[in-house]
């Protein structure tokens, strides 16, 4: 999988009580993925990280700018086709009524593709869910189980790009490590790219080769090995100050 994904002059505005745009949450964002990439998205709370991922998946509409996948604008592609290739995994997993297997089969039904039971079994095993009865009501699963089921559901689409929104925040250390190992393996073996929003700077350092720093309405792209030469505690302090509007003496990012 060797895809390209470009973000051109992307903007999102806040809206006031009169339904008029009041100010930008972020504006004029420009970035690109050229081939398989591992990108961490970091920054203080409220900088628009989750909103950005939702826009990249066309779950929220951009107010300005363009998104281009393999040379094709999102405006020239159906939303279903786009979301098959650029797939969003939310922080809070949503299970639909039915069994675990019903939920795993859901993406195949929605996108009209065959259900790959072999791949599903492999992903279940790698994420430590081998004990799970697939006939169990999905709503009765624990929060951590739901999160991993949601990730498997997305991986069954075999997307080109995964948009991961704090997906290990509710997992214990062992489960988080299994998720990280699986996604790094998919990147190596399948060429899957991912954009991973995380507040865990140690995790960002582990999983990424590049880091998008979001702060004060803009985005800066940095090489992770350069960014994380600085102690994580000092980086965390800077992002807190960024949220408060202080001078961080660091590059801006949304």
């Amino acid at each position: 999988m060797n895809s390209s994904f470009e973000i051109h002059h992307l903007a999102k505005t806040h809206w006031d009580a009169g339904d008029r745009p009041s100010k930008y949450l972020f504006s004029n964002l420009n970035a690109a993925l050229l081939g398989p990439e591992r990108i961490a998205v970091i920054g203080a709370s409220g900088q628009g990280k989750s909103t950005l991922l939702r826009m990249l998946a066309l779950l929220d509409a951009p107010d300005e700018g363009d998104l281009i996948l393999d040379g094709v604008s999102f405006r020239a592609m159906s939303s279903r086709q786009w979301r098959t290739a650029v797939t969003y995994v939310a922080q809070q997993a949503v299970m639909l009524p039915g069994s675990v297997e019903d939920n795993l089969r859901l993406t195949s039904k929605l996108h009209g593709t065959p259900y790959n039971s072999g791949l599903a079994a492999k992903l279940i095993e790698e994420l430590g869910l081998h004990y799970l009865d697939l006939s169990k009501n999905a709503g009765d699963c624990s929060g951590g189980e739901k999160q991993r089921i949601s990730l498997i559901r997305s991986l069954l689409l075999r997307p080109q790009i995964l948009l991961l929104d704090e997906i290990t925040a509710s997992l214990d250390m062992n489960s988080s490590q299994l998720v990280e190992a699986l996604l790094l393996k998919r990147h190596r073996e399948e060429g899957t790219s991912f954009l991973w929003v995380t507040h865990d700077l140690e995790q960002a350092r582990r999983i990424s080769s590049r880091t998008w720093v979001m702060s004060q309405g803009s985005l800066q792209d940095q090489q992770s090995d350069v960014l994380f030469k600085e102690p994580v505690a000092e980086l965390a302090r800077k992002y807190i100050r960024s949220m408060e509007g202080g001078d961080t003496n660091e590059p801006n990012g949304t």
Side-chain angles (χ1 to χ4, degrees):
M1 219 180 283
N2 190 16
S3 59
S4 65
F5 186 63
E6 301 169 51
I7 299 171
H8 292 295
H9 307 297
L10 202 66
K12 188 66 177 177
T13 56
H14 285 298
W15 296 79
D16 63 21
D19 290 332
R20 294 173 299 184
S22 59
K23 62 178 182 178
Y24 286 109
L25 175 60
F26 50 73
S27 64
N28 199 33
L29 298 194
N30 294 280
L33 283 69
L34 303 175
E37 298 265 21
R38 295 180 288 116
I39 298 176
V41 184
I42 65 174
S45 297
Q47 299 300 308
K49 300 184 297 296
S50 294
T51 299
L52 174 62
L53 258 59
R54 289 182 57 83
M55 288 174 65
L56 299 184
L58 303 187
L59 296 171
D60 289 340
D63 291 315
E64 298 173 14
D66 201 2
L67 302 170
I68 299 174
L69 178 66
D70 294 334
V72 181
S73 169
F74 78 94
R75 296 182 178 88
M77 196 180 297
S78 72
S79 57
R80 184 171 72 173
Q81 183 183 6
W82 183 275
R83 290 174 191 149
T84 302
V86 184
T87 303
Y88 175 76
V89 186
Q91 180 178 354
Q92 299 297 328
V94 175
M95 296 290 104
L96 295 180
S99 68
V100 171
E101 186 170 12
D102 290 335
N103 273 266
L104 293 177
R105 288 179 176 273
L106 177 65
T107 49
S108 298
K109 291 180 180 178
L110 290 177
H111 293 274
T113 57
Y115 176 63
N116 190 333
S117 59
L119 178 57
K122 185 172 183 288
L123 295 172
I124 287 168
E125 180 73 25
E126 291 188 57
L127 286 181
L129 294 173
H130 51 279
Y131 62 86
L132 199 60
D133 182 354
L134 297 187
S135 65
K136 179 178 180 177
N137 188 316
D140 293 334
C141 292
S142 70
E145 289 169 342
K146 290 176 182 177
Q147 190 61 63
R148 284 174 285 169
I149 292 166
S150 176
L151 176 59
I152 293 169
R153 195 165 56 190
S154 295
L155 286 170
L156 287 172
L157 287 172
R158 300 188 73 178
Q160 294 170 233
I161 300 167
L162 272 171
L163 307 172
L164 309 168
D165 194 356
E166 289 277 0
I167 61 163
T168 60
S170 63
L171 300 182
D172 59 35
M173 183 178 296
N174 181 62
S175 297
S176 294
Q177 289 173 346
L178 291 174
V179 168
E180 289 183 19
L182 172 63
L183 290 170
L184 290 170
K185 181 180 178 182
R186 301 295 291 181
H187 170 75
R188 289 192 308 270
E189 296 182 355
E190 298 283 327
T192 307
S193 293
F194 57 75
L195 295 175
W196 192 327
V197 168
T198 178
H199 282 98
D200 182 340
L201 298 183
E202 287 287 359
Q203 180 178 68
R205 179 184 58 79
R206 286 194 302 271
I207 56 89
S208 69
S209 57
R210 291 164 56 200
T211 300
W212 290 358
V213 183
M214 299 188 70
S215 176
Q216 301 180 25
S218 61
L219 177 151
Q220 175 147 3
D221 187 347
Q222 298 194 36
Q223 292 297 317
S224 295
D225 58 353
V226 174
L227 178 66
F228 291 106
K229 282 183 178 178
E230 188 168 10
V232 164
E234 178 63 17
L235 284 172
R237 183 190 65 79
K238 287 185 175 181
Y239 296 139
I240 292 170
R241 290 190 63 195
S242 170
M243 180 174 61
E244 295 170 346
D247 180 8
T248 64
N249 294 316
E250 68 171 355
N252 282 343
T254 25

